[in-house]
């Protein structure tokens, strides 16, 4: 065992959430007579939390006079509709089961609201992932290291005992800021070219979740 613990991002890494996010964004945009967004547009908007997502989705961004109201309504609506079309990526359940059986400690950290993160983790991965951390007013969102450090404290592991898995440049920066190696997965919301263009370096790139078993 190279690493005692593995910390996973959620969106685009263990769960394909993009359709529910897009549907929720568009529900709110329609409500305010704003132009809707495509799945591909939203795919490129996500990664830095709900405020950044809606800043990019709303034509005037934060300059819109009702932006804070729009954001609050999006967050509330999404939390109620976060598991309509969402599901694990292929081989993720098998990966988490095998890692758990091998004795690895597992956690999920996400820039989604804490309620949605814990609910989705409970539904899909609760048997194997005891720690699921989302955004709170006490933890700075990724790429700050706060969520990862909190997760490591909950798991009882040190930095050198842990590795991070994510699908975006935000995840890579999070790993760097936390002092961790990063496994960048290529089945999520970013292509390899997009990741490299955004500054992601080759700690590890993987095309299938089960490849992670050889790295940890």
């Amino acid at each position: 065992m190279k690493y005692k613990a593995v910390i996973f991002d959620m969106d685009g890494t263990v769960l394909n959430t993009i359709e529910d996010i897009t549907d929720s964004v568009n529900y709110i945009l329609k409500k305010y007579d704003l132009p809707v967004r495509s799945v591909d547009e939203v795919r490129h908007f996500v990664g830095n939390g709900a405020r950044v997502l809606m800043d990019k989705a709303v034509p005037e961004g934060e300059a819109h006079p009702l932006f804070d109201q729009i954001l609050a309504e999006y967050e509330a609506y999404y939390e109620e509709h976060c598991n309509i079309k969402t599901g694990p990526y292929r081989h993720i359940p098998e990966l988490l089961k095998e890692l758990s059986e091998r004795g690895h400690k597992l956690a999920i950290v996400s820039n989604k609201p804490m309620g949605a993160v814990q609910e989705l983790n409970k539904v899909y991965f609760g048997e194997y992932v005891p720690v699921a951390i989302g955004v709170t007013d006490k933890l700075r969102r990724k790429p700050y290291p706060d969520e990862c450090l909190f997760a490591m404290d909950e798991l009882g592991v040190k930095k050198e005992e842990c590795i991070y898995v994510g699908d975006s440049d935000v995840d890579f920066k999070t790993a760097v800021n936390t002092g961790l190696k990063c496994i960048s997965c290529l089945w999520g919301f970013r292509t390899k070219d997009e990741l490299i263009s955004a500054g992601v370096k080759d700690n590890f790139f993987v095309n299938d979740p089960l490849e992670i078993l050889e790295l940890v």
Side-chain angles (χ1 to χ4, degrees):
M1 184 186 294
K2 300 174 187 175
Y3 299 98
K4 288 185 179 180
V6 186
I7 298 177
F8 292 88
D9 169 52
M10 179 169 272
D11 298 89
T13 300
V14 294
L15 286 179
N16 187 352
T17 55
I18 197 62
E19 289 192 62
D20 281 335
I21 294 173
T22 301
D23 288 350
S24 297
V25 167
N26 286 337
Y27 176 85
I28 301 302
L29 292 177
K30 288 177 184 176
K31 181 176 177 180
Y32 285 86
D33 294 320
L34 298 170
V36 298
R37 298 293 190 167
S38 69
V39 170
D40 192 57
E41 284 179 305
V42 174
R43 180 173 68 85
H44 286 90
F45 294 166
V46 297
N48 285 284
R51 176 168 287 273
V52 175
L53 165 63
M54 295 309 290
D55 179 47
K56 293 178 178 179
V58 173
E60 296 176 62
E62 292 193 48
H64 191 288
L66 298 177
F67 180 79
D68 286 339
Q69 181 177 322
I70 291 170
L71 173 61
E73 290 190 26
Y74 163 76
E75 290 180 322
Y77 185 87
Y78 177 70
E79 188 158 341
E80 292 293 321
H81 301 82
C82 65
N83 194 27
I84 309 299
K85 300 176 182 177
T86 287
Y89 285 100
R90 179 174 175 265
H91 290 158
I92 285 292
E94 294 92 330
L95 168 67
L96 298 181
K97 181 176 185 292
E98 182 64 22
L99 288 173
S100 179
E101 290 178 351
R102 290 185 183 186
H104 296 280
K105 297 181 178 182
L106 306 178
I108 288 173
V109 298
S110 173
N111 278 342
K112 301 166 82 67
M114 179 72 85
V117 172
Q118 294 192 334
E119 177 62 25
L120 288 170
N121 180 64
K122 179 182 177 182
V123 169
Y124 291 107
F125 312 123
E127 183 178 356
Y128 307 116
V129 183
V131 175
I133 309 298
V135 171
T136 73
D137 57 2
K138 296 181 180 179
L139 297 173
R140 291 175 299 175
R141 68 182 69 251
K142 300 183 292 182
Y144 287 105
D146 300 34
E147 292 179 82
C148 281
L149 292 173
F150 185 77
M152 286 189 287
D153 187 58
E154 290 287 294
L155 294 176
V157 296
K158 302 173 184 177
K159 292 180 182 180
E160 59 269 21
E161 299 174 321
C162 186
I163 194 166
Y164 184 90
V165 182
D167 71 303
S168 72
D169 57 300
V170 174
D171 292 311
F172 178 76
K173 292 171 185 173
T174 301
V176 171
N177 291 341
T178 312
L180 306 178
K181 288 287 189 181
C182 183
I183 299 173
S184 296
C185 61
L186 301 178
W187 55 82
F189 298 163
R190 302 290 187 273
T191 66
K192 186 173 184 178
D193 287 344
E194 287 171 336
L195 290 172
I196 291 172
S197 295
V200 174
K201 302 192 184 334
D202 187 8
N203 281 338
F204 307 101
F205 285 109
V206 291
N207 291 289
D208 185 280
L210 296 181
E211 294 175 37
I212 293 170
L213 295 172
E214 303 301 317
L215 300 175
V216 300

